[in-house]
């Protein structure tokens, strides 16, 4: 049985990490998840993905320390998207929603941070625990968390391993929505359907610009957006979908997107 399960619902790809040992992630699992995200990237019929964990206790406990103890090195080839298939998938232009069904610890939290939006179950907890065992959250945690939370809160979490509840992180704006565990996938699918209802090129251009301008000043971000090589953004205004969107609005009907 594969550790990574894929299901398709219209324009939505659902990716479930369902692995023994708390949905922990080794190199082979990272490669399998990367292949799933590559399917999202390459299939024009897909607009958005949901990534979640099997069961109710763990979203993911992160790096498979048993595999590490058995000799898998920390710099093992993780595949196209780096650890968990997503944390270094720099050219993925389509949005990803993390549906956090339980504890997101270490690399599991880093996987959630690599997503564009997070929906979490009420009982979910988040922590970067690496420093408590002599490691560092270098699959994106040490970089992304201080950019997403107030620096002092991020430093406290990274330097103590403290767990934060879904409600706390929602208050900080890191989590989009907190729902009862039984309603998690319904909430994630509702968000994904609202995303997928928008024009595919527009979604991809938003992510393309966001990634290209990350860390830039407002003025520099404008310059990058106007002058840099952003092929998806350049296609938007002359696209069939732009014309279709305006025609649909004028005709008071739902648009028929073609992704071109």
């Amino acid at each position: 049985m594969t550790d990574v399960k894929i299901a398709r619902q219209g324009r939505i790809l659902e990716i479930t990490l369902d692995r023994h040992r708390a949905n922990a992630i080794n190199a082979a699992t990272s490669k399998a998840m990367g292949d799933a995200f590559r399917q999202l990237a390459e299939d024009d019929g897909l607009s958005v993905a949901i990534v979640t964990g099997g069961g109710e206790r763990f979203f993911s406990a992160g790096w498979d320390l048993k595999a590490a103890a058995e000799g898998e090195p920390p710099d093992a080839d993780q595949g196209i998207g780096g650890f968990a298939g997503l944390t270094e998938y720099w050219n993925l232009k389509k949005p990803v929603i993390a549906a956090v069904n339980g504890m997101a610890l270490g690399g599991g939290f880093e996987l959630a941070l690599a997503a564009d939006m997070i929906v979490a179950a009420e009982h979910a907890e988040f922590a970067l625990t690496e420093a408590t065992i002599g490691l560092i959250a270098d699959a994106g945690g040490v970089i992304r968390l201080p950019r997403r939370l107030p620096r002092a809160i991020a430093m406290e979490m990274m330097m103590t391993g403290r767990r934060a509840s879904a409600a706390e992180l929602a208050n900080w704006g890191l989590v989009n929505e907190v729902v009862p565990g039984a309603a998690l996938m319904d909430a994630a699918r509702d968000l994904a359907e609202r995303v997928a209802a928008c024009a595919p090129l527009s979604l991809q251009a938003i992510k393309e610009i966001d990634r290209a301008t990350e860390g830039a000043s407002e003025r520099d971000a404008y310059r990058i957006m106007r002058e840099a090589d952003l092929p998806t953004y350049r296609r938007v205004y002359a696209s069939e979908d732009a014309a279709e969107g305006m025609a649909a609005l004028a005709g008071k009907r739902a648009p028929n997107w073609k992704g071109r």
Side-chain angles (χ1 to χ4, degrees):
M1 180 180 295
T2 180
D3 297 332
V4 179
K5 299 175 181 177
I6 298 174
R8 181 172 183 156
Q9 302 290 335
R11 299 192 66 86
I12 303 167
L13 186 69
E14 295 185 6
I15 303 168
T16 303
L17 171 61
D18 192 5
R19 188 167 185 262
H20 64 288
R21 299 197 292 273
N23 293 333
I25 300 169
N26 61 11
T29 304
S30 286
K31 290 179 181 178
M33 294 181 72
D35 288 342
F37 288 115
R38 177 162 50 192
Q39 179 178 338
L40 170 69
E42 296 178 352
D43 189 332
D44 291 340
L46 293 169
S47 288
V48 58
I50 299 170
V51 60
T52 193
E56 298 179 355
R57 187 179 178 198
F58 283 95
F59 173 69
S60 172
W63 188 27
D64 187 343
L65 296 179
K66 183 174 181 181
E70 293 172 350
E72 182 174 287
D75 60 351
D77 180 11
Q78 306 287 331
I80 187 172
F83 180 80
L86 185 64
T87 57
E88 296 180 70
Y89 203 144
W90 306 120
N91 60 348
L92 177 62
K93 295 177 183 176
K94 296 181 182 179
V96 176
I97 298 166
V100 181
N101 55 298
M103 288 184 281
L105 307 179
F109 191 7
E110 291 175 300
L111 170 59
L113 285 170
D116 301 288
M117 291 161 271
I118 300 175
V119 179
E122 290 174 335
H123 66 277
E125 293 182 317
F126 302 77
L128 293 177
T129 55
E130 284 83 352
T132 68
I133 56 172
L135 302 175
I136 186 170
D138 63 352
V142 72
I143 297 170
R144 290 187 170 106
L145 197 64
R147 299 183 183 198
R148 304 278 294 279
L149 293 181
R151 182 178 180 276
I153 302 300
M155 289 298 176
E156 176 200 354
M157 290 187 68
M158 291 189 293
M159 292 182 172
T160 68
R162 177 177 74 83
R163 295 185 184 184
S165 69
E168 177 186 349
L169 294 188
N171 286 336
W172 289 119
L174 183 64
V175 170
N176 295 74
E177 186 177 5
V178 180
V179 298
L184 176 66
M185 290 308 296
D186 285 342
R189 288 167 182 148
D190 176 72
L191 177 57
E193 286 170 0
R194 288 185 282 128
V195 170
C198 293
L201 283 180
S202 295
L203 296 174
Q204 294 172 46
I206 289 167
K207 188 161 180 175
E208 181 180 66
I209 294 169
D210 176 69
R211 182 155 286 166
T213 59
E214 186 175 10
S217 68
E218 187 173 331
R219 178 173 294 183
D220 285 344
Y222 262 93
R223 178 184 54 77
I224 292 166
M225 183 174 67
R226 300 303 189 207
E227 300 176 7
D229 182 20
L230 301 174
T232 307
Y233 171 52
R234 304 291 170 232
R235 293 168 57 198
V236 167
Y237 285 95
S239 68
E240 292 182 34
D241 278 355
E244 166 64 12
M246 290 183 280
L249 179 64
K252 297 181 180 180
R253 59 175 175 81
N256 179 24
W257 305 125
K258 297 181 179 178
R260 61 178 189 267

